Amino acid sequence: MSVRILPATWIVGPPAPPVVALLVRVLYIAIITLVSVWVWGYLGGVSLSPTYVSEGVNETGKLFNWHPVLMTTAFAVLMSEAIMSYKAPILPWLKRAASKKLHACLHAAAAVCIVCGLTAAFKSHSLKLPIPIPDLYSPHSMLGLTTTILWSLQILGAAVAYHWPGISLPGRVALGPVHRHMGGSVWALGLATMATGITEKTTFVATAKKLAGDDLYGAIVRIPGAVLVLLALLGVTALYLQAPAAGPVFVGADGEMLLQGCEGSAAVAGTPSATHGTAQVTGTPGKLGTMESLLQQPGIATLELDVTVQGSIEAAVASVLSQAGRIDILVNNAGALVPCPFADLDLQDARSQFETNFFGALTLTQAVLPGMMARRSGKIVNVSSMAASLPWPAGGIYCASKASLSAWSDALRVEVEPFGVQVTVLTPGIILSNIYTKALPTDSSKGKQWRWYGYLQEKMIASFTKSLASGVGMPADEFAKQTCKQILRKSMPAYHAIGFSVTASKIALLFRNGIMDAPYKKMMKFDTPVPAGSPKDLVKVAVTTPTHQAVPV
């Protein structure tokens, strides 16, 4: 179960430098201001109807003047802001869901301006007297028609990609890059259409001035020239924000990240791509069918991996290295939990927990460590648990596997430090992930029957279920954000505690000597009296019956 981060294709710096976003807004404000000055100051302003000149003769220039004003508003202002709505929203505190709505609203407003601008142009042509003007009479008209058609296809494609119920989630993800490419292309084509239209209008004005013997080089000609320069700068600057970012600098200039354990919500949210929007991610659960939540993130592919199978680990690591060439960060995040008092525990369940929680991390680390050591750089992040220091009844094997992970990490950290490789241990508290819901049956009849502790099995399951339903714990996305902060630090700490009840566990560690016995007994129902019965009979049953079979006593 792994996630990798690929190096950026274009190294262009942060995804949305504030100074670049500010420059885009300054440019489009300057453009709409100059166009407005040009229209109202030198072209006579605007009108909703033709201007009467004489019988059978009118002037539709003021009606047409709505066209450059509205098209400038649509493409230079509203669509530029739509392009920045995700990476540099005008309200920087907006979350992605709100940014998506803002993006849609900006495009809707641009659509209104485009329709009104085209209507003004066509009306000014058809109402012209004495001779109406053809609609498609110039290069600008033909380019404008092309832009309008592609813009319509872009709107239709967006509606289908994000709102048509028949498209699967992988299909929506696959259409995302197409949507962004079409959006940027239509916007750039719109700026080019504006440039040809302004040039064409300036030519008409200059011709009229020449025929009238007026000055050909006044502001009426120079202002459009300034607008063309600003349009070019706007295109270059705004499209800079569309370029793939280099991503965080881990140790080298760029990085590969392998995160195993992606089936849980914390693992999915814990990728730097999900929290920082900086990289392409490949998620690898034990089964590809469990990866739907990862596919919701942009640029994500899947790779199957079972951390308990040596061949699966070797194939997965080889696949990543063949495509990316390196792995700079390994996050051992996979976890398995089988809650059961030890006397009733099937030893196979004990071994499976150690295989996933401990030996899986060892095997995967050994597979990627040579490359890190050879490069003299790398990071290994082992996700342990506060249960490693504060073990709880009915979870002793899980706690032991996490304690083993922590102890091995302490030794490994010293061993690999001379080779420039860092090792850190995350010790989460209570995180609202799906490890508990997967581990617990809804009732005892759907799981293995406990023999020695059958009298409290139902109570313990009910207690767990009630605790999970209460929502007490740290949300997985918050855990992910805090985890990424530690992973992306230049120098990672040896240990970092994250999650609900961590502070209490730190205090408890100072005293350790049974301080958690009483609360655990109450929470796990071990304060329930043992039913009356002959201890000798119980011992006899235990000796003659395999532990994994349910035996009435």
Side-chain angles (χ1 to χ4, degrees):
M1 310 169 201
S2 61
V3 169
R4 73 163 187 259
I5 292 183
L6 300 178
T9 304
W10 300 346
I11 307 301
V12 295
V19 65
V20 176
L22 176 61
L23 181 57
V24 170
R25 294 183 173 106
V26 169
L27 286 170
Y28 74 59
I29 290 173
I31 290 170
I32 189 64
T33 301
L34 286 176
V35 170
S36 299
V37 170
W38 187 49
V39 167
W40 272 274
Y42 296 92
L43 299 183
V46 298
S47 173
L48 295 176
S49 60
T51 302
Y52 176 81
V53 177
S54 62
E55 185 66 28
V57 179
N58 65 15
E59 176 57 52
T60 59
K62 291 184 179 180
L63 177 57
F64 177 85
N65 285 345
W66 280 110
H67 183 69
V69 172
L70 291 170
M71 291 305 187
T72 301
T73 302
F75 286 98
V77 178
L78 295 174
M79 285 195 180
S80 296
E81 199 60 59
I83 285 178
M84 298 191 296
S85 58
Y86 289 112
K87 292 187 176 180
I90 194 167
L91 302 176
W93 58 83
L94 288 180
K95 295 184 178 180
R96 183 172 179 83
S99 295
K100 182 177 290 188
K101 293 179 181 178
L102 174 62
H103 181 80
C105 289
L106 288 167
H107 275 298
V112 172
C113 290
I114 290 172
V115 170
C116 292
L118 291 175
T119 302
F122 294 150
K123 284 290 185 181
S124 71
H125 293 165
S126 62
L127 296 177
K128 175 64 177 174
L129 295 175
I131 303 175
I133 303 172
D135 285 329
L136 301 176
Y137 69 92
S138 68
H140 167 68
S141 301
M142 300 305 295
L143 186 59
L145 176 63
T146 304
T147 303
T148 303
I149 292 173
L150 291 178
W151 168 75
S152 301
L153 292 176
Q154 159 71 357
I155 297 299
L156 178 62
V160 171
Y162 295 105
H163 300 289
W164 190 261
I167 295 185
S168 65
L169 181 58
R172 297 183 196 278
V173 173
L175 288 172
V178 178
H179 173 69
R180 289 188 292 274
H181 167 73
M182 282 292 294
S185 300
V186 169
W187 175 80
L189 189 57
L191 296 187
T193 305
M194 285 178 55
T196 59
I198 291 173
T199 301
E200 189 174 278
K201 181 69 174 179
T202 305
T203 302
F204 293 159
V205 170
T207 302
K209 289 174 71 64
K210 183 177 182 180
L211 292 175
D214 295 335
D215 179 18
L216 296 179
Y217 306 105
I220 196 172
V221 175
R222 296 183 184 277
I223 289 177
V227 171
L228 295 182
V229 173
L230 294 178
L231 283 174
L233 293 175
L234 178 65
V236 172
T237 308
L239 288 179
Y240 174 91
L241 301 179
Q242 295 292 92
V249 177
F250 302 118
V251 177
D254 50 30
E256 290 293 327
M257 183 175 184
L258 191 63
L259 166 61
Q260 51 106 327
C262 303
E263 295 181 28
S265 55
V268 174
T271 65
S273 176
T275 56
H276 296 277
T278 57
Q280 181 176 345
V281 175
T282 298
T284 63
K287 297 180 180 179
L288 292 177
T290 62
M291 295 298 292
E292 289 297 315
S293 54
L294 265 180
L295 289 174
Q296 297 176 11
Q297 304 296 335
I300 291 183
T302 57
L303 177 67
E304 190 167 349
L305 166 63
D306 185 343
V307 297
T308 66
V309 178
Q310 177 77 31
S312 179
I313 290 177
E314 292 174 353
V317 172
S319 176
V320 175
L321 292 178
S322 65
Q323 298 180 48
R326 61 191 287 178
I327 298 173
D328 284 338
I329 300 178
L330 169 65
V331 181
N332 288 308
N333 185 63
L337 168 63
V338 181
C340 180
F342 179 72
D344 287 329
L345 181 67
D346 187 333
L347 288 182
Q348 184 57 43
D349 287 335
R351 293 187 180 95
S352 67
Q353 291 180 79
F354 262 88
E355 285 292 337
T356 299
N357 301 344
F358 181 60
F359 289 107
L362 264 65
T363 309
L364 193 52
T365 301
Q366 196 168 61
V368 304
L369 192 57
M372 294 182 177
M373 296 173 70
R375 291 191 309 273
R376 300 296 193 266
S377 68
K379 292 183 178 182
I380 297 172
V381 181
N382 292 326
V383 181
S384 180
S385 171
M386 73 173 188
S389 301
L390 292 174
W392 43 276
I397 301 301
Y398 172 82
C399 301
S401 67
K402 291 298 187 177
S404 298
L405 184 67
S406 298
W408 165 68
S409 300
D410 287 338
L412 180 66
R413 182 169 48 255
V414 179
E415 294 171 4
V416 299
E417 184 178 0
F419 294 89
V421 180
Q422 300 181 51
V423 178
T424 191
V425 178
L426 300 181
T427 56
I430 301 174
I431 308 298
L432 299 178
S433 70
N434 63 5
I435 187 172
Y436 305 109
T437 54
K438 282 187 174 183
L440 287 175
T442 53
D443 57 69
S444 61
S445 64
K446 297 181 181 180
K448 294 180 179 179
Q449 296 294 313
W450 297 349
R451 181 175 68 256
W452 290 93
Y453 296 92
Y455 66 94
L456 57 77
Q457 187 171 8
E458 291 282 2
K459 293 182 179 180
M460 188 179 296
I461 292 174
S463 177
F464 258 111
T465 304
K466 181 179 179 181
S467 178
L468 292 173
S470 69
V472 176
M474 174 178 282
D477 57 350
E478 180 60 29
F479 167 70
K481 292 177 183 178
Q482 294 195 29
T483 298
C484 282
K485 287 182 180 179
Q486 300 304 315
I487 293 175
L488 301 180
R489 289 175 61 174
K490 183 176 181 180
S491 179
M492 299 189 303
Y495 277 81
H496 184 73
I498 305 175
F500 181 81
S501 76
V502 165
T503 301
S505 68
K506 289 179 179 179
I507 296 174
L509 283 174
L510 299 176
F511 303 97
R512 188 68 186 269
N513 297 328
I515 192 172
M516 294 301 294
D517 288 2
Y520 274 152
K521 285 179 181 178
K522 183 174 181 62
M523 182 176 69
M524 306 297 293
K525 306 304 178 183
F526 276 90
D527 55 355
T528 304
V530 177
S534 169
K536 293 182 178 180
D537 291 340
L538 290 176
V539 172
K540 181 178 180 182
V541 170
V543 171
T544 59
T545 307
T547 59
H548 63 275
Q549 295 183 8
V551 177
V553 293

